[in-house]
Amino acid sequence: MTEQQAIINYMERNGLMSFAPAAALIDMDGTLYDSMGHHADAWYRMISELGIDCDHDEFFMYEGRTGVDTINIIFRRAYGHDASPEEAKELYRRKTVLFSEMPPVAPMPGAQRMVKELLDRRLTTVLVTGSGQNTLLSRLDKDYPGAFPEGMRVTGHDVTKGKPHPEPFLKGMQLAGVNAENSIAIDNAPLGVMAGAASGAFTIGVTTGPIPEQALLDAGADIVYPSMEALADNIGKLINPFNMSI
């Protein structure tokens, strides 16, 4: 599907006569940073320490959920109940420690160029992540200067319902002062794509890990790219056709 056709489909589905994006709401892990492998490793180690059976790759599918949500999925499966708030806090702290002990992760190839392309076109960029870990949040100003200042970040600490609920992206729109029809959401995981689509934003999926393209399309992505580099290459095709009427 071409960019223009994806946009026309979105506009027709939402009853829009025209659309010009003013903000880009962007996921962090697996989108801005090549970090999901480390997260899966840390989750797997932490849960295994509890003596609970789990599959390493299942944590890729939980990407976008808050830490508490992920812990409660495992607890309900293993014990039939949620973790207590105190247990969840301590277990997430342990997972954070395990992640921080791993080698530093790099920005996702193409992501810095993609963000620059958006900023050059005067879009407001807002971070929308289910993570609350300072390990990467503290690097944003250095790796993406000017893109995600304090006040333009939605983290797992800022929402009551994480992805796939649309609350994180809706809060991002509030921070940017835009409506859904003036927003694009960028995410690499099915739960994030589901949240973006449910928020009403034009939703872009990017395959940066083991999750296949079809899973992102099935989750509601308007268009899917095979890498952040491919998305960066095509920002112009996405933004300019938005500024049109049908």
Side-chain angles (χ1 to χ4, degrees):
M1 183 188 303
T2 66
E3 288 79 8
Q4 187 169 12
Q5 187 59 57
I7 293 162
I8 290 172
N9 291 347
Y10 170 81
M11 293 167 67
E12 290 180 342
R13 187 172 66 252
N14 289 279
L16 302 175
M17 296 303 295
S18 63
F19 183 49
L25 316 172
I26 309 173
D27 177 53
M28 183 171 70
D29 291 295
T31 302
L32 294 176
Y33 289 99
D34 190 7
S35 51
M36 273 312 300
H38 282 15
H39 280 295
D41 290 346
W43 278 115
Y44 179 77
R45 286 180 58 189
M46 187 274 285
I47 296 299
S48 296
E49 287 176 356
L50 300 176
I52 298 175
D53 288 335
C54 59
D55 180 75
H56 177 273
D57 285 350
E58 75 177 282
F59 296 102
F60 286 95
M61 298 303 297
Y62 302 152
E63 181 184 353
R65 293 189 183 275
T66 65
V68 172
D69 281 348
T70 299
I71 290 166
N72 283 336
I73 286 173
I74 301 298
F75 262 57
R76 285 193 291 267
R77 188 174 73 203
Y79 305 128
H81 61 78
D82 288 347
S84 70
E86 294 76 20
E87 286 175 316
K89 182 177 180 179
E90 178 58 27
L91 291 172
Y92 190 63
R93 186 200 66 79
R94 173 60 179 157
K95 182 263 176 178
T96 301
V97 168
L98 291 170
F99 181 90
S100 67
E101 290 175 347
M102 297 177 189
V105 298
M108 186 65 70
Q112 289 170 313
R113 183 162 60 90
M114 182 272 296
V115 170
K116 183 178 185 302
E117 293 283 350
L118 292 168
L119 293 174
D120 287 348
R121 289 168 172 79
R122 301 187 183 281
L123 270 71
T124 300
T125 48
V126 182
L127 183 78
V128 180
T129 177
S131 176
Q133 291 188 204
N134 199 46
T135 314
L136 289 182
L137 292 171
S138 63
R139 289 180 47 185
L140 286 167
D141 288 337
K142 174 179 177 293
D143 294 330
Y144 296 91
F148 307 105
E150 294 294 336
M152 287 295 171
R153 303 179 182 183
V154 179
T155 75
H157 298 310
D158 301 316
V159 298
T160 57
K161 297 180 177 69
K163 303 170 185 176
H165 195 278
E167 181 185 354
F169 284 106
L170 293 174
K171 282 188 174 290
M173 293 173 196
Q174 291 175 357
L175 293 180
V178 298
N179 297 319
E181 60 265 29
N182 302 119
S183 305
I184 60 175
I186 302 171
D187 210 297
N188 71 300
L191 294 179
V193 167
M194 290 172 64
S199 77
F202 181 89
T203 302
I204 301 168
V206 189
T207 56
T208 61
I211 297 171
E213 174 184 344
Q214 191 60 47
L216 300 181
L217 291 170
D218 291 344
D222 292 290
I223 193 167
V224 177
Y225 289 95
S227 67
M228 293 302 294
E229 291 174 323
L231 173 55
D233 289 341
N234 288 283
I235 287 293
K237 295 179 185 177
L238 285 165
I239 301 303
N240 292 335
F242 278 144
N243 299 309
M244 68 179 190
S245 299
I246 59 172

